[in-house]
Amino acid sequence: MDNVAAVIGMDPAEFRLKNLAARGERTRPDLRALDMDMSELMVRVTQSFASESQGSNRRSRGMAVAATDPANTPIANAIVRLKIDGSILVSVSSIEVGQGAHATMARIAAQTLKQPFSAVSTLRADTAVAPYDWGTGASRSTVVVGLSVENAALDAADQILDMVVDVWELPKESLSLVEGGVSTGSEVLTFHQIFHRTLGVDSGEVVGRGAITPRSKKGALAESPLFWETSAGLAEIVVDEDTGEIHAPRYASAADVGRVIDRVAAEGQDEGAAAMGFGHALYEQLEFEDGQPLNATPIDYMIPRISDVPPVFDTILIENGDGPGPGGAKGMGEGAILPVAPAIANALFSAYGVRITDLPMTPEKVWRALQRGSEFMEFNMSMMVPATPGDLWKTLIDVPSISSCIPGCENVEEIAPLESYKAMVKQKIGPFKVEVPAEIVVESVTEPSHVRTRATGRDKFTGTRLAVILDVSVIPEDLGSKLTVDAKVDIQGRLASMGLGVIKRRVDQNFEEFETRLKSLLGAA
Amino acid sequence: MTNVQLISFSLNGQPVEMEIPGHTLLIDLIRDRIGLKGTKRSCDMEVCGACTMLLDGDPISSCTTLAVDVDGKEITTIEGVTPPNGLSRIQKAFVLHGGLQCGFCTPGFIMAVTALLKTNPHPTDAEIRHYLHGNLCRCTGYTKIFEAVKSLAAEQVSEDAASPAARRRNFRLETS
Amino acid sequence: MLPTPFEFDRASTVAAAVSAVGQEGEGMFYSGGTELLLAMKMRVIHTERLVDIKGIPGLDRIVLNDANELEIGSRCTHVKIAGDSVIREHVPALASLCANVANVRVRSVGTIGGNLCFGEPHADPPTMLGALDARLVLQGPNGTRSVHADDFIRSELETVREADELMIVIVFPRPTGPVTYRRFKHGERPSVNVGMAWSMEAGAHSIKSARVRVGALGSKPQPLKAVEGVLKGLPVHDAHRAIQSVLAAALDELDVNEDRHGSADYKRHLAGVLLLRNAEEAVAMQGRAT
């Protein structure tokens, strides 16, 4: 996206906003219509950075948005038991591996039954006693198993309310669950009272059952994917230009999760995913030789450490309550991995005009890319000059008069004759004003036939870096001399990423102008 | 075996004396012979920090420490910094801030943070990152672990309440 | 993995340790074990007897001696050197190096002597000690001998130490000028490290001599002779430019292994970057000192 935006000279964020598929649109006819606004994610990560003005020259930013389609298997069962003491047991086959599935199920049961979270225990999964579930993975547990827990809790609630209807002879519509029991409107019956009066003993429970199948919710869960798992990432990076090492001092990650059930756990899932994103973006690569892994130890295989994740990390969870899960929740925890690498790569591209497409972006890879630079622009010209090589040479090394041929070149200052000079190069490209204080070094001189100079500089406003290598040769000919100029121009920075095409045209124009002025200076044909 | 060594040491404040082969690793002694399974073995090469124990208060990788080396010294494991009822202030902070997910790295982190706060009760952000650089976590993304430790670094606690010795007084190790 | 069984001995004097290692069957000295046990667990090293030297008094001393030299006992842990007031005063760069070796657990028990004797080509201390003009004192069955840090490591994981020689102390002159050390690391071990020590003309702003060592590139730390040569006698503020003038040629001389830490040209380039940054730091330090 950023590449395309750069070619047409548009801001990459603006380019995305113009072209994003909107909520309700389909990216493929056989997939569910988009159930989120990608633009909302982009806006939220951008706002996260808004407190700080643009990064300094040393810092650059890159953004990426991503969506993935998690597996679609709406098949799960749950059992929720409400006991006489108000304690609640949830039994599901979801495996707790640290993602917080069991706590999430407990929260769903607690919220549905209007009981405190502390009253609920999720039993350790054992398929010998827990009901069938398709599997733990694919960001599905909160949605699919969560819905079955919600159903089971509603079933249990129904049974409790029916006891009250039956024994107290009250209309069901007047009853509601409250913490520790059932409210009749005029009084609260404790669970103990309800079981005691209904069963005639001081013990008992109701067993609620919930099932989700592709036919549940009138088939609404059957379409694939169940929901879109989406995220946006905005990375700020600092590149050590000498070593190629990338540091990310700041990152914002936004995910549309529908509804948050457990905030700390949900944020942690997102942050963990993003950290893995940093791993594959910058560090991780399993190497093989003859089918055997070469670096399968933590000494040789690097994963992110606490010192590698951005110290400023903003985790944004968007809640529109529009997911298929309990309370409008969607699955999450994987999406945040996706935008990290492209966001970093875009930041690199934005600052340096280099594009790395194979991960990880190791220091060596980045360094090599910086060495190659963005595409060099090359220009060649040659002209016949009616002067001897000796005379022509004299004109050429008269730096003030030669530099007067270069459009925008001002204040030429001689530091050491035929060694180094300083100059200011001013250019206006569209709305952009660039002022590059250039250092000009004469790299080699072979009198009177060849001179090579290198000019480098950096514009402090746009961060644009300019490097020009100029080879000028004088070749004796029958009727005078032939002058050839070969130039390599490299422009890097945000301006370059705005549109290399625009700059290339400008540089072309400048060379034409240079040629014209030089010809008139030398009286060339 | 001829190479049997008699060692005596303090384990979480309790004296232990036993005979072990000289090549026994500390982690195996604690987990397999003594049966304290809180310490986790992960990378087994001193990189990940999951097996961190404290040797006279300093963090070590128990996976690559000979058990004979603890002779005459004090060993503290995760069980030793966990009160008999409930959790320590470090553990509570990890739970409160979501500094754990799968939990496998957590005992190592708790031990490392215990050692850090003992020598430096109010570490700076940079000091926290430098000290914990050798503890790996694959789940949390570290952000919440960092927040947990930062919250502890900002707390003012009485030295006595925070010291491992104070916790040991309340802890009874049950080993045979 | 478990190491294969071995005898475990404790020695309380250097002579006893040397004699225990020298007995029939292969023995090895043992202190922190952070490198040795790892290799034994991976079963790439086997020894019949480990001789623990931690009970030998005096091997963990750090002093400035009467000859104005710093002495660091071989079994000083990294954490001890990092926090030692003498080292922090006279060679802060070495203290900071030790504060950043591996991780906090390795630093707790791993020793500088063990690090040197293992000869790991990506280690930090050998490069720095070469730059510091250190000599390493070994004690064997026939007495003691000194080996210069530059000559100690023969090749990858190979040193000139005989199996029954125990390194007892590391000695180097108290630096009279700035000492700097930098490494580049993208993984567990450094890809390249550069140590530089300048000794200064008394009361002057010029460099009497400079020692520069580049490590991790080849099998052992290497001197950058051309850089050392050009810095000799130079005013401090000319150092940076002088290094630049000979840098390309000096880097070309380096022996560089291509490996997962990088290609040869990249590692050479990194060595130059670290060297120039060291030089900038040294100039700044010298500016503050005068």
Side-chain angles (χ1 to χ4, degrees):
Chain A
M1 290 294 159
D2 283 42
N3 282 6
V4 178
V7 169
I8 61 170
M10 189 183 279
D11 176 74
E14 189 191 341
F15 179 68
R16 279 188 182 79
L17 290 173
K18 271 189 193 300
N19 290 284
L20 281 173
R23 181 188 287 270
E25 279 189 60
R26 284 180 196 271
T27 52
R28 250 171 56 182
D30 56 338
L31 293 181
R32 184 182 293 270
L34 295 181
D35 57 356
M36 75 307 178
D37 287 313
M38 300 290 269
S39 56
E40 186 180 7
L41 294 159
M42 285 179 59
V43 167
R44 292 292 295 275
V45 290
T46 309
Q47 281 170 351
S48 164
F49 274 45
S51 59
E52 262 184 32
S53 55
Q54 264 301 315
S56 67
N57 270 348
R58 302 273 304 152
R59 297 183 171 201
S60 62
R61 291 171 180 181
M63 187 201 284
V65 288
T68 180
D69 53 334
N72 189 49
T73 38
I75 304 163
N77 295 278
I79 294 167
V80 171
R81 292 151 61 192
L82 173 64
K83 301 168 90 74
I84 188 169
D85 62 355
S87 66
I88 297 159
L89 296 180
V90 176
S91 180
V92 289
S93 285
S94 292
I95 306 300
E96 176 57 60
V97 289
Q99 82 279 40
H102 282 189
T104 299
M105 298 312 152
R107 280 194 194 280
I108 291 167
Q111 285 166 8
T112 311
L113 289 166
K114 311 230 170 15
Q115 303 304 308
F117 175 58
S118 59
V120 189
S121 303
T122 304
L123 299 176
R124 190 179 291 186
D126 178 346
T127 52
V129 289
Y132 175 81
D133 173 34
W134 176 80
T136 304
S139 301
R140 67 183 285 282
S141 294
T142 297
V143 173
V144 184
V145 185
L147 283 174
S148 72
V149 169
E150 190 179 53
N151 284 353
L154 289 171
D155 185 23
D158 214 35
Q159 294 178 42
I160 276 285
L161 296 183
D162 280 346
M163 287 179 173
V164 180
V165 170
D166 220 24
V167 177
W168 276 266
E169 295 181 352
L170 289 167
K172 203 167 179 179
E173 311 80 64
S174 66
L175 305 177
S176 61
L177 281 159
V178 294
E179 185 171 331
V182 173
S183 164
T184 63
S186 55
E187 62 172 330
V188 172
L189 304 171
T190 66
F191 292 127
H192 186 269
Q193 287 172 308
I194 297 167
F195 280 106
H196 178 82
R197 285 273 298 273
T198 308
L199 304 179
V201 292
D202 288 319
S203 57
E205 66 176 20
V206 291
V207 180
R209 176 181 167 255
I212 289 297
T213 73
R215 309 182 71 82
S216 303
K217 300 209 168 196
K218 296 182 181 145
L221 304 176
E223 192 180 15
S224 186
L226 200 48
F227 57 90
W228 285 96
E229 188 162 353
T230 51
S231 66
L234 181 58
E236 182 166 274
I237 65 167
V238 177
V239 181
D240 183 331
E241 294 169 20
D242 296 328
T243 65
E245 198 170 21
I246 295 176
H247 290 284
R250 190 177 177 128
Y251 188 79
S253 171
D256 184 340
V257 301
R259 183 174 77 98
V260 172
I261 291 171
D262 183 327
R263 181 157 304 275
V264 169
E267 285 180 359
Q269 281 287 289
D270 215 40
E271 288 158 10
M276 275 205 184
F278 276 93
H280 81 237
L282 300 176
Y283 311 115
E284 298 180 36
Q285 183 165 40
L286 198 51
E287 298 159 40
F288 290 91
E289 196 173 276
D290 297 332
Q292 294 299 310
L294 289 177
N295 58 340
T297 75
I299 288 179
D300 294 324
Y301 185 92
M302 190 182 172
I303 70 168
R305 297 165 179 277
I306 196 167
S307 41
D308 298 321
V309 296
V312 183
F313 197 111
D314 192 9
T315 311
I316 301 154
L317 303 177
I318 293 174
E319 298 182 81
N320 291 325
D322 53 358
K330 298 174 184 176
M332 54 100 52
E334 295 180 89
I337 200 169
L338 300 172
V340 180
I344 292 172
N346 286 341
L348 191 64
F349 179 70
S350 143
Y352 296 94
V354 301
R355 170 62 66 188
I356 294 183
T357 51
D358 59 326
L359 299 179
M361 290 174 271
T362 60
E364 180 169 354
K365 236 181 252 176
V366 173
W367 176 74
R368 283 195 194 287
L370 294 179
Q371 291 300 298
R372 279 193 304 272
S374 55
E375 287 171 75
F376 268 109
M377 289 170 270
E378 294 198 28
F379 300 90
N380 309 294
M381 68 171 90
S382 77
M383 61 182 84
M384 291 302 301
V385 181
T388 63
D391 287 344
L392 176 56
W393 182 257
K394 270 186 212 141
T395 318
L396 286 176
I397 62 172
D398 177 4
V399 173
S401 68
I402 280 292
S403 39
S404 69
C405 297
I406 303 170
C409 184
E410 295 173 8
N411 305 335
V412 179
E413 192 187 328
E414 184 175 276
I415 310 295
L418 276 186
E419 271 185 32
S420 67
Y421 301 85
K422 274 187 180 169
M424 181 67 79
V425 181
K426 291 187 180 171
Q427 291 283 329
K428 203 162 174 298
I429 305 173
F432 307 107
K433 221 171 94 181
V434 181
E435 286 189 18
V436 181
E439 297 200 1
I440 303 157
V441 177
V442 178
E443 292 198 325
S444 70
V445 188
T446 316
E447 206 173 326
S449 58
H450 176 252
V451 59
R452 163 179 273 220
T453 56
R454 174 193 290 269
T456 50
R458 179 188 176 101
D459 167 47
K460 67 174 182 218
F461 299 112
T462 61
T464 303
R465 276 175 301 280
L466 172 78
V468 182
I469 299 170
L470 209 59
D471 276 292
V472 179
S473 302
V474 176
I475 302 152
E477 294 277 338
D478 291 345
L479 297 167
S481 318
K482 185 163 100 176
L483 175 71
T484 66
V485 179
D486 296 312
K488 268 187 172 178
V489 179
D490 184 25
I491 295 172
Q492 291 183 8
R494 296 193 288 278
L495 195 56
S497 62
M498 286 294 297
L500 266 178
V502 179
I503 289 176
K504 209 172 150 106
R505 276 195 296 283
R506 167 51 54 98
V507 176
D508 258 329
Q509 288 163 7
N510 281 344
F511 267 90
E512 279 167 27
E513 178 65 23
F514 174 69
E515 193 172 353
T516 313
R517 291 187 193 180
L518 193 63
K519 274 182 180 165
S520 80
L521 179 76
L522 301 172
Chain B
M1 177 165 301
T2 56
N3 181 34
V4 169
Q5 305 274 330
L6 176 70
I7 57 169
S8 60
F9 63 103
S10 150
L11 176 58
N12 300 326
Q14 297 289 303
V16 177
E17 192 172 281
M18 57 204 317
E19 288 190 325
I20 54 161
H23 66 284
T24 308
L25 296 167
L26 179 58
I27 190 169
D28 297 325
L29 175 75
I30 300 294
R31 281 182 54 92
D32 299 343
R33 282 207 45 193
I34 296 178
L36 296 183
K37 305 276 190 184
T39 302
K40 303 299 178 219
R41 168 183 259 130
S42 182
C43 77
D44 208 19
M45 52 205 318
E46 305 168 292
V47 175
C48 75
C51 71
T52 305
M53 293 181 189
L54 305 185
L55 175 66
D56 287 347
D58 294 327
I60 53 159
S61 295
S62 62
C63 72
T64 312
T65 299
L66 289 179
V68 290
D69 271 339
V70 309
D71 186 35
K73 297 186 185 293
E74 262 186 44
I75 282 290
T76 312
T77 68
I78 183 68
E79 290 85 356
V81 297
T82 308
N85 298 305
L87 299 170
S88 71
R89 68 183 266 265
I90 298 175
Q91 291 167 322
K92 280 180 190 157
F94 269 64
V95 172
L96 184 68
H97 290 270
L100 70 158
Q101 288 182 25
C102 88
F104 208 78
C105 71
T106 313
F109 265 101
I110 300 290
M111 298 315 288
V113 173
T114 300
L116 167 65
L117 296 181
K118 189 193 66 182
T119 50
N120 184 1
H122 308 292
T124 63
D125 291 3
E127 285 168 343
I128 294 171
R129 291 198 177 88
H130 179 254
Y131 202 89
L132 297 179
H133 158 94
N135 285 76
L136 299 181
C137 170
R138 198 55 154 155
C139 302
T140 61
Y142 302 105
T143 303
K144 303 239 176 285
I145 292 176
F146 180 80
E147 284 167 8
V149 182
K150 201 169 153 67
S151 76
L152 292 162
E155 269 177 30
Q156 297 292 336
V157 284
S158 82
E159 288 306 308
D160 186 57
S163 77
R167 290 198 204 103
R168 275 200 298 275
R169 281 199 293 277
N170 300 321
F171 180 68
R172 292 290 169 268
L173 175 71
E174 287 162 22
T175 55
S176 49
Chain C
M1 203 191 281
L2 269 178
T4 48
F6 50 80
E7 296 277 333
F8 187 84
D9 273 358
R10 290 190 176 91
S12 52
T13 65
V14 174
V18 166
S19 136
V21 164
Q23 280 169 27
E24 204 178 318
E26 203 184 322
M28 292 178 98
F29 300 110
Y30 164 79
S31 181
T34 54
E35 296 275 19
L36 183 58
L37 283 178
L38 203 56
M40 290 173 71
K41 282 180 9 167
M42 293 167 86
R43 307 235 171 148
V44 291
I45 286 182
H46 172 65
T47 184
E48 286 164 47
R49 188 164 51 255
L50 277 192
V51 179
D52 185 11
I53 62 163
K54 288 194 288 292
I56 302 174
L59 290 186
D60 60 349
R61 265 181 0 130
I62 298 177
V63 289
L64 180 63
N65 69 19
D66 296 342
N68 204 25
E69 294 171 317
L70 287 153
E71 293 184 12
I72 300 177
S74 61
R75 74 157 211 84
C76 287
T77 60
H78 301 296
V79 89
K80 175 172 174 129
I81 299 169
D84 185 83
S85 57
V86 174
I87 299 296
R88 287 167 74 121
E89 182 187 347
H90 298 290
V91 216
L94 179 61
S96 133
L97 178 157
C98 287
N100 286 288
V101 165
N103 58 53
V104 64
R105 302 175 304 279
V106 167
R107 295 193 289 272
S108 289
V109 293
T111 65
I112 191 161
N115 184 299
L116 292 168
C117 291
F118 207 71
E120 159 61 49
H122 297 280
D124 300 276
T127 310
M128 181 60 138
L129 292 172
L132 288 169
D133 204 9
R135 57 181 201 274
L136 318 174
V137 181
L138 307 175
Q139 185 169 336
N142 306 315
T144 62
R145 64 170 175 142
S146 270
V147 180
H148 195 276
D150 283 342
D151 306 322
F152 183 68
I153 295 176
R154 205 198 303 261
S155 182
E156 275 104 340
L157 309 177
E158 258 188 81
T159 71
V160 300
R161 185 184 68 87
E162 297 295 335
D164 59 354
E165 282 184 307
L166 176 65
M167 184 185 292
I168 52 176
V169 67
I170 296 146
V171 187
F172 56 89
R174 184 179 70 82
T176 59
V179 176
T180 48
Y181 175 81
R182 270 184 174 67
R183 64 180 182 186
F184 181 81
K185 207 168 101 136
H186 184 73
E188 193 60 21
R189 300 187 195 271
S191 315
V192 53
N193 55 36
V194 178
M196 180 161 72
W198 292 353
S199 62
M200 305 302 296
E201 295 287 0
H205 296 279
S206 58
I207 301 164
K208 188 159 52 172
S209 64
R211 294 177 61 84
V212 183
R213 293 292 178 276
V214 182
L217 291 182
S219 54
K220 56 190 266 187
Q222 303 167 64
L224 274 181
K225 292 258 187 263
V227 174
E228 293 178 350
V230 77
L231 286 174
K232 208 175 162 75
L234 215 63
V236 165
H237 59 264
D238 288 343
H240 199 268
R241 192 158 6 123
I243 293 174
Q244 272 180 318
S245 70
V246 296
L247 190 58
L251 294 175
D252 272 346
E253 307 263 300
L254 289 171
D255 180 24
V256 184
N257 293 334
E258 283 202 328
D259 54 20
R260 121 163 0 96
H261 300 283
S263 313
D265 63 331
Y266 177 59
K267 289 207 259 185
R268 250 193 209 100
H269 161 79
L270 286 178
V273 171
L274 297 186
L275 177 62
L276 289 170
R277 289 180 182 180
N278 277 352
E280 272 168 33
E281 185 189 347
V283 169
M285 285 165 84
Q286 196 54 34
R288 280 198 302 275
T290 52

